[in-house]
Amino acid sequence: MLKVALLGAGRIGQVHARSMTASRQCRVAAVADVNAAAADTLAAEIGAESCSVEAVIADPTIDAVLIATSTDTHSDLITRATAAGKAVLCEKPVDLSLDRALATLAAAEATGRPVMIGFNRRFDPNFAALKAAFEAGEIGKGELLSITSYDPAPPPVEYIKVSGGLFRDMMIHDFDMACWIFGGPPARVTAHGAALVDPAIGTAGDIDTAVVTMVWADGRIAVIKNSRRAGYGYDQRLELLGSGGLLSAQNVLENTVQKVTPQGAVAAKPVHFFLERYMRAYEIEWQAFLDALTQGAPMPVTLREGVAALACAEAAARALVGGVTVEITAAMLGAGDA
Amino acid sequence: MLKVALLGAGRIGQVHARSMTASRQCRVAAVADVNAAAADTLAAEIGAESCSVEAVIADPTIDAVLIATSTDTHSDLITRATAAGKAVLCEKPVDLSLDRALATLAAAEATGRPVMIGFNRRFDPNFAALKAAFEAGEIGKGELLSITSYDPAPPPVEYIKVSGGLFRDMMIHDFDMACWIFGGPPARVTAHGAALVDPAIGTAGDIDTAVVTMVWADGRIAVIKNSRRAGYGYDQRLELLGSGGLLSAQNVLENTVQKVTPQGAVAAKPVHFFLERYMRAYEIEWQAFLDALTQGAPMPVTLREGVAALACAEAAARALVGGVTVEITAAMLGAGDA
Amino acid sequence: MLKVALLGAGRIGQVHARSMTASRQCRVAAVADVNAAAADTLAAEIGAESCSVEAVIADPTIDAVLIATSTDTHSDLITRATAAGKAVLCEKPVDLSLDRALATLAAAEATGRPVMIGFNRRFDPNFAALKAAFEAGEIGKGELLSITSYDPAPPPVEYIKVSGGLFRDMMIHDFDMACWIFGGPPARVTAHGAALVDPAIGTAGDIDTAVVTMVWADGRIAVIKNSRRAGYGYDQRLELLGSGGLLSAQNVLENTVQKVTPQGAVAAKPVHFFLERYMRAYEIEWQAFLDALTQGAPMPVTLREGVAALACAEAAARALVGGVTVEITAAMLGAGDA
Amino acid sequence: MLKVALLGAGRIGQVHARSMTASRQCRVAAVADVNAAAADTLAAEIGAESCSVEAVIADPTIDAVLIATSTDTHSDLITRATAAGKAVLCEKPVDLSLDRALATLAAAEATGRPVMIGFNRRFDPNFAALKAAFEAGEIGKGELLSITSYDPAPPPVEYIKVSGGLFRDMMIHDFDMACWIFGGPPARVTAHGAALVDPAIGTAGDIDTAVVTMVWADGRIAVIKNSRRAGYGYDQRLELLGSGGLLSAQNVLENTVQKVTPQGAVAAKPVHFFLERYMRAYEIEWQAFLDALTQGAPMPVTLREGVAALACAEAAARALVGGVTVEITAAMLGAGDA
């Protein structure tokens, strides 16, 4: 049985704690957090030890760590944990700085330790079913991918200011989805966006509504639409046109009830936000990490793929500012390090 | 080119007039109605002659008549028109009296002239597609048929009093659908119902909400649900469980627009009533009648089938009063006359 | 914290064991089964003691038992457990014999101990949302309820022979749904059915396809359709016509993926069977039982309601054989015992 | 009653002929076509005179003409017909050359005669219902518009060569939809595309798959996706995210039948192509033209709007070639001529 530790006892750390303790393939030995009280509480709840990050990394009996700390610590923790011989599952994004992420990639790959990035949406049963149908050839060759990804409401502006911006904080998921569906990163990226939802987001130097077009070397195209506010709830959809048909993954509703009155036919609202929508995906994600570790299979989402998503975000940010199409170069993908 | 006449210039006669004049296979020579002014107006509009029913029947150059007069005249007009050598398309129901309908069947069949009953729903593209898929074997053997048929609002009680009752006036369509889908009449019928929508309908001796179960000799079952009031509009659906799957024809909505707000996902209302829903079916129905006449093919809906639907209604009425299951006998179907 | 025991370590007992051990409001102290090895295995897995039914009932420290044994033992165990002062959650049906169930009702009510019957479907989030919308008055007064309930495939004929028949074994759930939605048992019941799926089921004296119509004293109607085989998977739907509109709970599909090709638009299959469909309902059911116990609230599904569902099944069985409508009398509902 | 003439007796002219002859507000006096035989046939069919274009324009008794000739004649015919005092309904696009279209705009506006461009999709009941709901404020302020527009199969390469390219020939409709929904032309346009469906289309200098992003001065964004081949049929959808919710117009299917089998739940195919999908829109379009003429209301789609759509196409073509974002200038919209 694997001995694992959880770094980060905040909201997303608590979500992971549920999956980690439910598995019979691992035992959660330790929880660490800069907020010691948070670590204590969560550790007590799941029967683990509360200790420092340093102690976790120094403990040679811990096989793997799940990094759910703040984004600015990811690169450092990935580097230190892999250097200490541990396998790592790290929350997205790898970093807000592409340069730093590339350095982390080089360092981690040098250790040979497996690192997985927590792009949870790949494990959503709906998106996974779409991917599987596509891989099975059910609609032929992929040509045009559309990703719709709307949050129910914008976060506080204080959060926006430290988030790295919409592309690195929110659309990073969609960049990964596009690269995942099309089997690798695009050749170039164009971006459009504005602060249509909240002018304060614009004042803070960010946007809340955006469209990014990604083009692959062979002409395939992906379009990503993001909004920080779809008042009706969380909206997460994929649609892929192929040479033989169309695959789509529709949004997830709260229930199957419909009401028909003189006002029309009303179906349920979408589930509210990512915790409701992706709880099952988080469970499957953790299981996939354990399966890869115990069976020696490749990580389902590699650190290199996490860097590619960040390269797309970096390119989109530059494209938006310059009003130009930005090429994704080999250097941006850490190609020289592979 | 066939020379045809329209008997009845009321609401449904006007609907048929559109299909009749649009066809290039026939010419509408005459319109007759007990309300001469109505006949004059409609005749003028479509470029036909306004004349008496007697004149139409006496005119040997008229090949076919469409009977859209009041129900109490149907039997007489079918009998006279076929005796005069004309082909007939008669609106449903054949009659409110099964005995009279059986006499009409005997008389009309003795002339050898073709008679079609206007069960328009058979020509609805949705129901026709379901029937075609079933006949093509797409779900194997039929086992359990469900018919949902709700009007948007009850008619005036004055209409109810002369309507022949819910079974003969409204459910007659559904009886025909069930016999059509399953290829012949059932062995027995059970009925339940009440005046839940409007107590005045109950006072008038009728019901406004009903469930009828039909059982075929080999055990196949059909359930018909009727309500005089589905406040949200017209609701017309079929669902057939077969040995290999399920076929359903969903209701028809005004348009494909959906609105998602915090109150849920709202689709359009159903189309309001039968004229909106079945306008295309009326056109196809008339064309099917002409096709049968000009190509010598059997009528798509025979008078005998019209009698069978009435026999089901008669059985349901008796089943409701007696609280018993009523057998459909050969005599009720005019079997001895075939 | 409540101390509870599980009687029955078979398939459904194992399902309940998951909900029981996941709750923080109770501790599963013991597991009993006539198959001691099954009890041993499950007890070891969940950290409970394996012991005899007698020992569980004799242990005064056990507050509540969940009865998931074979149906023929339900009445006896309910009686003994309540006599021993325990609260009971018993799987459906109460019994195959209405007389025995009525005796059990009298005995259990005399003890004053709470008994809940495990009609899991009431706790399905979809059906619960429909019920809540109806109770909130969203479609006015209920008039016509339709229940569709199809299994993916018939059980072995050996099972059929001891099942009590389709009405007591399968439709019992739907009888409860109808009584739950309409707030009490009907006045009378009519039944139709046949062995259309498997002649061997007919030879065994049972049916596999059935339609039952229930009528309430005030004229409201419910129609239940059952089939032992909907080849495409489990099909569980409700539809309620009210004075102000229609509420429906659609079936549950495996995922939200759609594929559009020249063959049409294909959505996912329904989830396969009741374990997939109702797993969440079982969890909520157990939680509702604990909530009622700890907060002194009335049981969400009473033993009396379990008897009413059985009375409907008994009436339907008699109606089918006799070809008549059968009244549900006060005696059949145990009215004199209340 | 208006006296009208039809210029062009080809496929789309024949479609319009049906709407024109069905209206009681006008009489189709003449049909003209460079192919005199085609004009003769159609004229005979609808009871009109077959004559030359010159004769139609020279006839002072003809109030209005519908131009359904080849695109290269549109500008000339609009100019001559308006100069002759006639009202004009001209098929899209105005021209393949923006410069020529601007000259036509100047000339036609100088005559003061009404000119309508036949953007039929505005009259589709689904899109019109979406627009009406949006204008009624049902989702607040519009922010992000998505247009999906796929043809079932690419036209012959010979057609592609003279079509003006995907942007002017096919996406011109979608440019108009976007300008219509958002109430005016965008500030700038970006385009991506490739020949993914048929390399021969690429060899001919065109693309068959494209994504265009349009940005309005206030930050609103529209994304248009085009493909020459959605093998499953015609696919025409709109989706508009607003500050208060989402409006979408789904694709139109052949019928409402669904089939559920072990392979999943199959709905009908989309209707095959634009004639099936937009037949009703063509009828409403013609009626809207007549209504505007007889009631002195502004044209529902002005020539100026037709030019704006062409300006978007021109900008997209330049954006694609240059890999840059192209501004829509006032000069491109004929602003100086208004």
Side-chain angles (χ1 to χ4, degrees), chain D residues 248-331:
Chain D
S248 64
Q250 304 297 314
N251 204 27
V252 175
L253 306 183
E254 288 183 342
N255 56 57
T256 68
V257 174
Q258 297 188 333
K259 179 174 64 170
V260 195
T261 70
Q263 281 71 48
V266 190
K269 282 197 304 290
V271 297
H272 180 64
F273 205 6
F274 72 99
L275 289 183
E276 294 86 349
R277 168 67 184 261
Y278 291 122
M279 190 52 76
R280 181 80 187 110
Y282 283 115
E283 296 168 5
I284 298 172
E285 175 186 288
W286 177 249
Q287 192 55 49
F289 176 67
L290 293 182
D291 286 348
L293 284 189
T294 55
Q295 296 159 19
M299 279 293 144
V301 193
T302 66
L303 176 55
R304 186 166 286 275
E305 291 175 307
V307 170
L310 189 61
C312 292
E314 176 91 8
R318 279 195 257 146
L320 181 72
V321 171
V324 293
T325 299
V326 173
E327 303 288 323
I328 306 279
T329 63

Side-chain angles (χ1 to χ4, degrees), chain B residues 115-119 122-123 176 298-306:
Chain B
V115 180
M116 172 169 160
I117 301 301
F119 280 120
R122 293 198 190 190
F123 304 95
D176 180 64
M299 280 293 142
V301 193
T302 65
L303 176 55
R304 186 167 286 278
E305 289 175 308

Side-chain angles (χ1 to χ4, degrees), chain B residues 9-34:
Chain B
R11 183 174 63 168
I12 196 67
Q14 292 167 36
V15 168
H16 286 299
R18 283 174 40 164
S19 305
M20 295 169 86
T21 53
S23 170
R24 296 176 183 179
Q25 288 180 276
C26 69
R27 182 172 69 83
V28 187
V31 174
D33 198 292
V34 290

